[in-house]
Amino acid sequence: SQQGEEDPQALSIQEGENATMNCSYKTSINNLQWYRQNSGRGLVHLILIRSNEREKHSGRLRVTLDTSKKSSSLLITASRAADTASYFCATDTTGRRALTFGSGTRLQVQP
Amino acid sequence: NAGVTQTPKFRVLKTGQSMTLLCAQDMNHEYMYWYRQDPGMGLRLIHYSVGEGTTAKGEVPDGYNVSRLKKQNFLLGLESAAPSQTSVYFCASRGGDLSANSPLHFGNGTRLTVT
């Protein structure tokens, strides 16, 4: 079963609006990472948040982590048509040497 | 700097045929991974390697073999392809030790269809 599960599975918004995606996971983590995938391409790393951090910013991205609820959220502010992509969370856990990915959120930003 | 390169980009196989997918990275990364991506299921780990000459099984290893003879290359083999192996295959690498919280670097994938 997937360690990370994203919600919603699909999201359609207008340019300029904010987009929020959520990720829930099951076991304790070292860090949680968010990746972006454009259609037909590989995944690209966006941001990493460590287990002892609660919030992190990078440009228009804001990530929060609540380890007590085993959940994270990715907020993209002032979205652009170019943000249209799939977004995946991935968890990095102690003892595992590989990241475990969720099933992703497909974001469509309408111009 | 090419990063992670996968060949081929596309391939069509008949059931029972064999093939090898090649992944090459030029970042001197220790760790390399093979994932498959199927619609609605995210990425699932097939096999991975923590260094030259080492390999280990992931979540869905059956039907696949791997080799890491050189640090920069990680090969994924299908000995007898089955329609269930129709998927997009991604190679990834990461550097540093695991405590460094390093991200994965991905190739652009190999789209494989087995008929």
Side-chain angles (χ1 to χ4, degrees):
Chain A
S1 62
Q2 298 290 327
Q3 160 76 322
E5 294 292 341
E6 284 94 338
D7 171 57
Q9 291 186 340
L11 181 61
S12 182
I13 59 174
Q14 298 293 318
E15 220 170 14
E17 293 180 338
N18 295 342
T20 299
M21 289 159 262
N22 302 297
C23 171
S24 60
Y25 58 91
K26 297 175 183 175
T27 62
S28 296
I29 60 172
N30 290 328
N31 66 70
L32 186 144
Q33 304 180 24
W34 285 91
Y35 288 80
R36 166 193 168 126
Q37 183 181 33
N38 287 79
S39 180
R41 307 283 289 181
L43 280 71
V44 175
H45 179 258
L46 292 176
I47 194 166
L48 179 154
I49 186 164
R50 294 179 173 79
S51 60
N52 61 354
E53 297 175 314
R54 292 297 167 259
E55 187 171 314
K56 201 162 182 180
H57 297 255
S58 176
R60 292 184 297 113
L61 304 180
R62 173 180 169 250
V63 171
T64 62
L65 179 65
D66 187 334
T67 53
S68 66
K69 294 181 179 178
K70 291 187 170 59
S71 67
S72 173
S73 67
L74 172 68
L75 169 67
I76 304 174
T77 60
S79 62
R80 305 165 181 168
D83 294 328
T84 293
S86 291
Y87 292 82
F88 295 88
C89 69
T91 53
D92 198 352
T93 58
T94 302
R96 277 186 63 84
R97 299 184 174 190
L99 299 185
T100 304
F101 285 83
S103 54
T105 293
R106 292 188 312 277
L107 174 65
Q108 177 78 40
V109 182
Q110 307 286 350
Chain B
N1 189 344
V4 178
T5 303
Q6 292 183 233
T7 53
K9 291 184 172 57
F10 303 94
R11 186 72 185 269
V12 178
L13 288 180
K14 295 188 188 305
T15 297
Q17 288 184 321
S18 63
M19 77 163 294
T20 300
L21 284 68
L22 172 64
C23 176
Q25 53 94 2
D26 61 3
M27 296 170 283
N28 201 35
H29 285 170
E30 288 293 332
Y31 307 99
M32 296 187 74
Y33 306 86
W34 277 107
Y35 287 91
R36 60 177 287 174
Q37 184 177 34
D38 301 293
M41 298 189 72
L43 279 76
R44 291 182 292 168
L45 182 66
I46 305 171
H47 285 281
Y48 63 98
S49 169
V50 301
E52 181 178 315
T54 74
T55 63
K57 294 181 180 180
E59 303 169 63
V60 289
D62 294 342
Y64 305 95
N65 57 76
V66 287
S67 65
R68 183 104 181 263
L69 298 179
K70 293 183 179 180
K71 187 177 183 179
Q72 63 268 33
N73 296 335
F74 194 28
L75 279 63
L76 178 70
L78 285 73
E79 293 181 343
S80 179
S84 60
Q85 294 178 304
T86 293
S87 187
V88 182
Y89 292 86
F90 286 99
C91 177
S93 70
R94 71 195 284 189
D97 60 53
L98 293 178
S99 64
N101 294 305
S102 52
L104 292 180
H105 298 257
F106 280 85
N108 282 323
T110 295
R111 187 173 297 275
L112 175 66
T113 301
V114 183
T115 61

